[in-house]
C-alpha cells in the first residue's frame, strides 16, 4: 500500500477595485478595452426584466460598438427568480449560444442579479471571470465587496452558493435615480446596518442626511457608497471565508432573512432586514448591550427612512420562529445572534466569537411584542 500526496498550495490574489461615480458605462467599456478581462472577446450580459431596457441594453450596445461579441441573458425580476432553476436556464441559454470558458459575465442590476450571475460565473466552465455593474443602493451596499454569491431554496435564502470574487465592481450613482422610491428606501437598510456595527460617525451622518439620500444627492450618495465599502472591506479583508468575523455582517439577519422567506418575498430584503434589526436592538437592549436611548435611535432612523419596524399582521409568528432555525449561524440546533454594542460596534463573546446562543423563548418574547 502506498500513499501519493498531491501538493496544491497556492497564493491567490483576488484583489479588485470598486469604482464609485456617475455615468459609468463608458468607464466600464474603456476598462475592458484596456484589458480588464484579459484577451476575452465574448461577454454574457446577465440582467433582469426591469433592468434590461434601462442599463442592460446600453451596456450590450456599448460593447458591440467597440467590436466585442455579446448577448443578453434576461430572467424575470424579483427574489423569486433567485433559484437554481433560473441559474440552469441561463446556463443552458449560454451553452446554446456557444459560450464556453473563453467568456466573461457582466452582471447588470441589483442584488438578485449580482448574486445569481456571480454564482453562475463561479461554476460555468468551472469558473469564468465576471464583472458587477450595480444599479441599486442595496447592491452597492451589500454586493459590492465580499464575493458572496448564492441562490435561494424553499427552506431558506442563500443556503447554496460560493464565494467568488469579481474582476471589478461599478457603483453607478446615476442609476439610483430610476429606482422606485420603495426600492431606494429598501437599499438603505444595509447602510444603516453597516453604521450600527462599525461606524458611529457614519450613523450620525445618515441621521443628518436622510432627505438628501432619498433625493439622490450625488455628493451624499457617493459618500455613503464609499463608507459602505470601507465598513465591509474591513470585515471581508480579515475573514473572506466567513469563519468568524464576517458573521458580524449578519447583524439583524437572523430574524430578517427568516421573515423575508415567511412573507413569501412580499417584503423586500431591506424591509425584512429593518424588522430584523428592530428585533436585534430590542433583544440587545434587554440583554444590556445597548441603552434604551440607543435602541430608540436605531428604530427612529429606520422609521424616518420609511423602513418597517414591526412584523406585518399577515406573518405567521409560529412559522417565523420555526424558520429562524434555518439560519446559517445555527450550531448544534441552537439559535445564535450577532448583537451590536451601542451604536458603531459589535459584541464579542470570546476570542474571535461574534455571535452568542439565544434561547427560543428569548427571541419569541421579542417577536410576540412586535
Amino acid at each position: 500500500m502506498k500513499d501519493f500526496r498531491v501538493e496544491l498550495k497556492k497564493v491567490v490574489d483576488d484583489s479588485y477595485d470598486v469604482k464609485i461615480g456617475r455615468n459609468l458605462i463608458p468607464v466600464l467599456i474603456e476598462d475592458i478595452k484596456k484589458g480588464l478581462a484579459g484577451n476575452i472577446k465574448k461577454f454574457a450580459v446577465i440582467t433582469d426584466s426591469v433592468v434590461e431596457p434601462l442599463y442592460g441594453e446600453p451596456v450590450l450596445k456599448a460593447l458591440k460598438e467597440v467590436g466585442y461579441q455579446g448577448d443578453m441573458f434576461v430572467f424575470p425580476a424579483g427574489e423569486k427568480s433567485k433559484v437554481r432553476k433560473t441559474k440552469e436556464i441561463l446556463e443552458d441559454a449560454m451553452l446554446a449560444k456557444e459560450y464556453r470558458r473563453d467568456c466573461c459575465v457582466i452582471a447588470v442590476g441589483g442584488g438578485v442579479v449580482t448574486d445569481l450571475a456571480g454564482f453562475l460565473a463561479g461554476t460555468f466552465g468551472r469558473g469564468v471571470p465576471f464583472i458587477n455593474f450595480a444599479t441599486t443602493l442595496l447592491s452597492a451596499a451589500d454586493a459590492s465587496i465580499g464575493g458572496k454569491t448564492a441562490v435561494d431554496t424553499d427552506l431558506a435564502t442563500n443556503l447554496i452558493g460560493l464565494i467568488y470574487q469579481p474582476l471589478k465592481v461599478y457603483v453607478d450613482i446615476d442609476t439610483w435615480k430610476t429606482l422606485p422610491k420603495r426600492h431606494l428606501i429598501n437599499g438603505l437598510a444595509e447602510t444603516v446596518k453597516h453604521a450600527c456595527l462599525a461606524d458611529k460617525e457614519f450613523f450620525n451622518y445618515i441621521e443628518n442626511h436622510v432627505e438628501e439620500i432619498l433625493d439622490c444627492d450625488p455628493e451624499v450618495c457617493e459618500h455613503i457608497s464609499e463608507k459602505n465599502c470601507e465598513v465591509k472591506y474591513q470585515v471581508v479583508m480579515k475573514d473572506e471565508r466567513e469563519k468568524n468575523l464576517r458573521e458580524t455582517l449578519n447583524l439583524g439577519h437572523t430574524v430578517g432573512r427568516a421573515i423575508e422567506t415567511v412573507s413569501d418575498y412580499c417584503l423586500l430584503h431591506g424591509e425584512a432586514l429593518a424588522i430584523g434589526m428592530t428585533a436585534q436592538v430590542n433583544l440587545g437592549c434587554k440583554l444590556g448591550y445597548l441603552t434604551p436611548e440607543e435602541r430608540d435611535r436605531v428604530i427612529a432612523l429606520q422609521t424616518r427612512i420609511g423602513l418597517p419596524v414591526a412584523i406585518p399582521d399577515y406573518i405567521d409568528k409560529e412559522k417565523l420562529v420555526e424558520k429562524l432555525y434555518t439560519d446559517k449561524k445555527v450550531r448544534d440546533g441552537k439559535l445564535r445572534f450577532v448583537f451590536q454594542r451601542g451604536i458603531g460596534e459589535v459584541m464579542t463573546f470570546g476570542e474571535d466569537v461574534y455571535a452568542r446562543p439565544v434561547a427560543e423563548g428569548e427571541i419569541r418574547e421579542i417577536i410576540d411584542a412586535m
Side-chain angles (χ1 to χ4, degrees):
M1 185 181 296
K2 292 185 178 180
D3 292 331
F4 186 91
R5 182 171 178 78
V6 179
E7 289 281 356
L8 290 174
K9 294 180 180 178
K10 296 181 181 179
V11 177
V12 179
D13 185 356
D14 278 335
S15 305
Y16 61 91
D17 293 323
V18 179
K19 182 71 174 179
I20 301 169
R22 289 170 281 170
N23 188 31
L24 294 184
I25 292 178
V27 178
L28 164 66
I29 301 304
E30 191 60 30
D31 286 345
I32 291 173
K33 288 169 61 179
K34 291 178 179 177
L36 175 62
N39 295 320
I40 288 174
K41 303 296 183 185
K42 195 168 186 178
F43 293 85
V45 178
I46 297 180
T47 189
D48 67 32
S49 55
V50 170
V51 177
E52 177 191 10
L54 294 171
Y55 305 109
E57 289 177 358
V59 167
L60 182 61
K61 180 182 177 182
L63 282 167
K64 289 184 173 181
E65 283 178 348
V66 293
Y68 291 104
Q69 295 175 263
D71 292 280
M72 187 87 69
F73 300 92
V74 184
F75 62 88
E79 187 77 25
K80 287 188 176 182
S81 288
K82 204 180 83 170
V83 293
R84 284 170 285 184
K85 185 62 179 178
T86 306
K87 180 173 179 283
E88 178 186 343
I89 291 170
L90 292 170
E91 289 164 341
D92 286 347
M94 288 174 62
L95 291 170
K97 291 198 173 184
E98 299 184 349
Y99 280 77
R100 300 295 185 263
R101 298 189 69 181
D102 58 343
C103 73
C104 176
V105 168
I106 303 179
V108 183
V112 171
V113 174
T114 56
D115 271 10
L116 186 57
F119 186 20
L120 180 153
T123 59
F124 192 85
R126 298 193 181 94
V128 297
F130 83 107
I131 297 164
N132 274 344
F133 194 93
T135 63
T136 68
L137 173 52
L138 183 66
S139 61
D142 199 31
S144 60
I145 289 181
K148 288 172 73 172
T149 69
V151 293
D152 302 334
T153 66
D154 290 340
L155 182 66
T157 60
N158 293 334
L159 283 181
I160 297 176
L162 51 82
I163 293 175
Y164 192 66
Q165 306 296 350
L167 295 175
K168 190 167 182 175
V169 175
Y170 297 82
V171 177
D172 194 331
I173 305 299
D174 280 349
T175 64
W176 300 1
K177 296 175 183 177
T178 57
L179 289 173
K181 188 69 173 287
R182 182 187 178 194
H183 286 260
L184 188 62
I185 290 170
N186 173 66
L188 271 174
E190 289 282 356
T191 299
V192 171
K193 179 207 74 177
H194 285 156
C196 284
L197 71 89
D199 194 329
K200 186 174 183 178
E201 290 304 313
F202 186 28
F203 188 92
N204 296 340
Y205 183 88
I206 299 168
E207 283 184 317
N208 293 328
H209 294 85
V210 170
E211 289 73 24
E212 291 96 324
I213 296 169
L214 295 178
D215 287 339
C216 291
D217 178 277
E219 184 177 340
V220 173
C221 289
E222 285 189 25
H223 178 73
I224 66 168
S225 291
E226 184 178 355
K227 295 301 292 185
N228 275 319
C229 288
E230 287 179 6
V231 169
K232 200 161 186 183
Y233 169 70
Q234 289 301 321
V235 174
V236 173
M237 174 184 66
K238 298 171 185 174
D239 183 20
E240 182 187 1
R241 298 289 165 179
E242 201 170 18
K243 294 178 180 178
N244 43 62
L245 180 62
R246 192 162 176 171
E247 281 191 330
T248 62
L249 295 175
N250 259 235
L251 185 71
H253 280 66
T254 307
V255 172
R257 280 295 191 187
I259 200 169
E260 183 180 6
T261 307
V262 173
S263 79
D264 195 29
Y265 303 106
C266 291
L267 287 168
L268 300 175
H269 174 67
E271 294 169 339
L273 171 58
I275 297 170
M277 284 291 291
T278 302
Q280 177 266 141
V281 294
N282 279 328
L283 181 54
C285 181
K286 186 174 181 181
L287 295 171
Y289 302 149
L290 71 169
T291 67
E293 293 76 20
E294 290 165 333
R295 174 201 61 198
D296 293 346
R297 278 185 72 189
V298 175
I299 295 173
L301 177 56
Q302 293 186 137
T303 302
R304 273 186 64 205
I305 289 168
L307 290 162
V309 294
I311 297 173
D313 291 338
Y314 64 82
I315 296 294
D316 185 322
K317 292 184 178 178
E318 286 302 314
K319 287 185 179 179
L320 175 57
V321 171
E322 182 181 329
K323 188 63 69 174
L324 295 176
Y325 287 92
T326 65
D327 185 70
K328 58 189 175 184
K329 296 187 297 301
V330 169
R331 298 289 185 273
D332 300 321
K334 295 179 181 179
L335 298 173
R336 294 168 68 250
F337 275 62
V338 175
F339 289 99
Q340 63 189 81
R341 181 199 296 273
I343 295 175
E345 296 182 57
V346 287
M347 291 295 301
T348 57
F349 304 98
E351 187 175 355
D352 291 333
V353 179
Y354 300 94
R356 61 150 279 186
V358 169
E360 182 181 304
E362 290 181 292
I363 189 58
R364 182 185 290 275
E365 183 179 343
I366 297 296
I367 287 172
D368 287 342
M370 292 177 61

